Structure formats: structure tokens, C-alpha cells
Amino acid sequence: MQVADRLQKIPPYLFVTLRNKINKARAEGVDVINLGVGDPVDPTPQSVIDELCRQAQIPINHQYPIDEEKGMIAFRREVARWYEKRYGVELNPEGEVLGLIGSKEGCHHFILGIVNPGDVVLMTDPGYPAYRASIYMASAEPYSMPMLAEKNYFPDFDQVPAEILKRAKAMFLNYPNNPTGACATRAFFSKAVEFAKAHDIAICHDNPYSEILFEGQERLSFLSVPGAKDVGVELNSLSKPYNMTGWRIGMAMGNREILAALGKVKENTDSGIFNAIQYAAITALRQEDDNIGKMLAIYGRRRKLVMETFAQIGSPFTPQKGTFYLWIPAPREMTSIDFTTALFEKAAVVVAAGTAYGRHGEGFIRISLTVPDRRLEEAMERIKKVFGS
Ligand SMILES: Cc1ncc(COP(=O)(O)O)c(C=O)c1O
């Protein structure tokens, strides 16, 4: 069977490769600890589960979703309320909010709705690998902007060559950032708006970690910056703040024309989100903010444990203030792959190599804090044993 050329350009999805490696080792009896994937193991709040069960009993919810291409109005209103409450952003639920099957779906359909074959889409290196895949699937061309520690993990728009700018149609940004954990500033977002206006570029700010912040870092929406709605959309998700990765629900907000394009793609592909899940998501947004505080305390504790461990093996690091990932320089100037391989082979601990997110990820690894405490403790003990001097 000959598969589409566009798929040939996409490397195997990082976590599928990792999962295969882990499954093989586990089948051989190795007790592997996986710190590679950002998928909270702590449960979804009970009130959300109860609402899903209640709504699942109602036959009308078994039909195609209400307002399938944009999400039900009750959900969109609740998103608008949440955005006002959490980020001070005003949104009109009619036209400025759209339901998504997770922010990953939104990234993909944003690209399909906005770019033509051969257009350039700007993204960062390191960056979330799914952006690149979506760009290729739309037969467009990714252009990677280096995102370096010495530049506070902000891309330098002035370095994008003029010939690329002429062809650039869209740009992905993502703060708090996966994989680095870096957070944006208002000044940076304003600069991005200015850049997008000057070069007619549509921005997709992917913000699923908007609530996962430490050390007093302020919550920030791209849409809170003047002019943002003229040039872009923001995606968000219930996956991370409410431990709902498996539920597949998120939202897109902002520019009406971009959202209409996204909605048109959705109308003709996925037909929307199960009603019962939208009702359950309303419950989460309305009454489960305490869950966020509870999870931040848990992640904060785990974050500290990892920092202490790396300090003890002679590789202290200062983390960025967002996401439940730690972006850590590999000890003793090892390459990303050398360190991840050594961790796997000597300690049966899996972490993500920085280079999986782009070549500027070289020299780093990413640890996810979404594993149970005792597994993380065990992983840190093993790391100390193998890499402690
Ligand atoms: C930057 C980024 N965007 C999107 C997603 C996907 O989120 P969702 O579960 O809302 O599709 C992830 C998940 O890891 C992510 O890291």
C-alpha cells in the first residue's frame, strides 16, 4: 500500500516511539518508569464525572452534538466567563469562541483553515512536534525560529529572512511553553501582534498550560494584549488544569474570521464534541478551580524533588516557571541522546530527549511531573545511584 507523500515527511510521533520502547522492555520484565509523557495520572474531579454520567443518560445527547461545528452555546458562554474571570479577556460567545476536541485538534484545523499548499508556517525550535506534522499535512512548509535560553526562550522575529516573511501565512506560539516551561510577557505578545500585522501573519497561540504556573508567575492570555484579536486565536484545553486529557475537550477563542475557517473545517470533518462531555466541561470550568490549586501544590512538590536530585548529582538547574515539565541541561555536557540512553539503560527511567523538539533542544532533556509521587521518588533514587559521584 502506497501512503500519502505528505506523511513521509513526518517523523514517527515521539511518544509512540517511546511507548514501543517501554512496552518491549516491560515485556522483558524491566520495571520502567516513564517520565516522558505529560499526561496527568491524578483523577478528573468527581463532580465532572458525575455530570458526564447524568448527561449520558439523556437520549438527546446521544445524537450529533448541538451546534456541532462550534460547540453548544452553554459551553461557549462558560468559556467566555472563565476567560473573563481567569484572564480578564472579554469574549463574545457568538463568533469569538469555539469548542474543540482538545487543543491539538485546534492546531491541526487552524492550519487547514488558514494555509495553502506551499505557504510557510513559522514555529519555534524547540517546539511541540504536532505543529510540524500539521503543517506538513496541509502541504505547507515549516520554518523554525530558534528559541534559546539566552533570549529568554523568545523567538527573534528580526532574524526571519525576508523571503520567508513573504511566504509566511501563519505562526504557532506556545507559552507557557512545552518543552521549556518558559512563560511569555505582555511585551513579547505585543511584539508578536505588531510582527503579525506588519507581515499579514495569522497567529495561533496554543495555551493549554495557562494554569500550570509556579513561583507567583501571573496567568496570561495572548488575547489580553491590544490588537491580538485582529491577528490571531488562542487555543486552550481542559486536559491539563482539570486532569481531563482523555476526555478530549478544549476551546479556540479570538479572531472571528479564523474561527469561522476553523469551524468550516470542523463541520466537514469531526462534527463536534459529545454533548455530555460539553456539559461535564461546563461543570469543570464553573466549579473546579480548586482542583487547579490542588494540582499545583502536587506538581510544586515534585518539581522541588527533581531540582534537589539534580543538585545532588552535581547538575543544579533553575527551572522556568510554567508547565508541569522540567527542561534540564544534561549533566556533564552529555548530548540529549547520550543522557536519555544512559538513563534508560542504567536506571530504566524514560525521559524525553530535547532533540525530539528540534535541534536547538540539544543538550537538554524534558522530565514530566505527571507521574505518581512514589514513582517519581523511585526514579530520582535510581538517578542518584547511577549518576551521583
Ligand atoms: C503545546 C501543546 N499543545 C497541545 C497539546 C494537546 O492538548 P490537548 O489534550 O488539549 O489536545 C499538548 C499536549 O501535550 C501540548 O503540549
Side-chain angles (χ1 to χ4, degrees):
M1 178 64 68
Q2 178 95 31
V3 302
D5 289 347
R6 70 178 79 85
L7 291 187
Q8 316 282 346
K9 292 185 179 163
I10 304 172
Y13 200 63
L14 164 70
F15 297 111
V16 177
T17 314
L18 273 182
R19 199 161 55 221
N20 292 342
K21 198 164 135 178
I22 293 166
N23 287 346
K24 185 167 173 288
R26 284 187 179 149
E28 288 161 5
V30 181
D31 175 25
V32 179
I33 303 176
N34 185 2
L35 309 180
V37 186
D39 189 358
V41 287
D42 302 84
T44 303
Q46 191 57 43
S47 67
V48 181
I49 300 169
D50 291 345
E51 180 64 359
L52 173 75
C53 295
R54 199 171 74 79
Q55 294 292 343
Q57 298 292 346
I58 301 173
I60 184 108
N61 289 336
H62 305 165
Q63 296 185 262
Y64 281 116
I66 303 165
D67 283 340
E68 47 184 68
E69 80 288 1
K70 49 189 180 189
M72 62 171 67
I73 185 66
F75 174 66
R76 284 182 277 130
R77 282 201 189 111
E78 201 58 46
V79 168
R81 254 180 244 134
W82 195 73
Y83 252 69
E84 166 84 61
K85 181 175 64 168
R86 306 295 286 182
Y87 309 100
V89 171
E90 257 181 58
L91 295 165
N92 186 336
E94 290 294 356
E96 291 187 339
V97 180
L98 195 91
L100 295 175
I101 306 174
S103 80
K104 193 181 197 180
E105 182 258 301
C107 295
H108 186 63
H109 286 157
F110 161 79
I111 288 297
L112 288 185
I114 292 296
V115 311
N116 288 314
D119 286 343
V120 168
V121 180
L122 308 178
M123 57 176 286
T124 61
D125 174 347
Y128 180 52
Y131 303 145
R132 187 176 295 276
S134 291
I135 296 166
Y136 282 136
M137 281 193 260
S139 303
E141 202 181 294
Y143 178 83
S144 296
M145 301 176 289
M147 203 180 68
L148 308 172
E150 57 267 31
K151 299 214 168 177
N152 298 321
Y153 293 108
F154 294 139
D156 184 349
F157 299 132
D158 295 337
Q159 297 297 314
V160 182
E163 64 274 17
I164 293 292
L165 284 176
K166 265 190 234 145
R167 294 168 54 216
K169 188 80 180 291
M171 171 164 76
F172 280 114
L173 291 174
N174 159 232
Y175 295 93
N177 180 259
N178 175 13
T180 64
C183 295
T185 59
R186 277 177 208 283
F188 171 73
F189 278 155
S190 293
K191 209 185 268 181
V193 168
E194 207 176 293
F195 173 69
K197 282 192 175 168
H199 301 286
D200 204 9
I201 290 169
I203 293 183
C204 178
H205 181 243
D206 185 21
N207 202 7
Y209 300 96
S210 58
E211 297 286 329
I212 315 294
L213 302 166
F214 303 94
E215 300 175 45
Q217 179 70 34
E218 70 156 349
R219 282 194 290 271
L220 183 60
S221 163
F222 169 67
L223 299 175
S224 67
V225 163
K229 275 192 206 171
D230 299 336
V231 293
V233 290
E234 176 159 286
L235 311 183
N236 211 316
S237 170
L238 280 85
S239 288
K240 321 284 169 166
Y242 302 107
N243 304 337
M244 290 174 69
T245 45
W247 297 59
R248 311 310 304 131
I249 183 158
M251 52 276 205
M253 287 78 42
N255 184 275
R256 285 175 180 270
E257 285 141 287
I258 299 176
L259 292 183
L262 216 164
K264 189 164 181 179
V265 178
K266 287 179 65 57
E267 190 181 338
N268 288 285
T269 49
D270 61 48
S271 301
I273 314 151
F274 181 29
N275 287 341
I277 289 182
Q278 296 189 61
Y279 284 118
I282 291 172
T283 300
L285 294 172
R286 191 174 287 167
Q287 65 186 61
E288 287 299 343
D289 289 349
D290 286 355
N291 186 69
I292 300 172
K294 189 182 94 186
M295 289 314 301
L296 290 181
I298 293 171
Y299 295 137
R301 212 172 54 223
R302 293 177 189 164
R303 194 169 177 263
K304 192 160 162 264
L305 173 66
V306 176
M307 286 165 67
E308 282 166 3
T309 303
F310 277 78
Q312 282 165 21
I313 64 166
S315 285
F317 67 97
T318 307
Q320 299 293 305
K321 294 184 181 167
T323 78
F324 44 51
Y325 304 113
L326 290 171
W327 185 241
I328 306 174
R332 296 167 208 152
E333 306 201 344
M334 291 167 94
T335 64
S336 300
I337 292 293
D338 284 349
F339 187 49
T340 50
T341 306
L343 271 176
F344 185 65
E345 285 175 0
K346 297 186 184 161
V349 170
V350 173
V351 300
T355 42
Y357 303 89
R359 69 187 176 88
H360 292 290
E362 181 55 276
F364 288 86
I365 58 146
R366 193 199 75 173
I367 282 187
S368 170
L369 301 171
T370 57
V371 285
D373 286 336
R374 59 185 170 73
R375 292 300 275 168
L376 188 68
E377 284 158 16
E378 163 74 20
M380 293 304 115
E381 283 310 312
R382 291 186 198 176
I383 288 175
K384 276 193 275 187
K385 214 175 276 172
V386 174
F387 296 95
S389 39

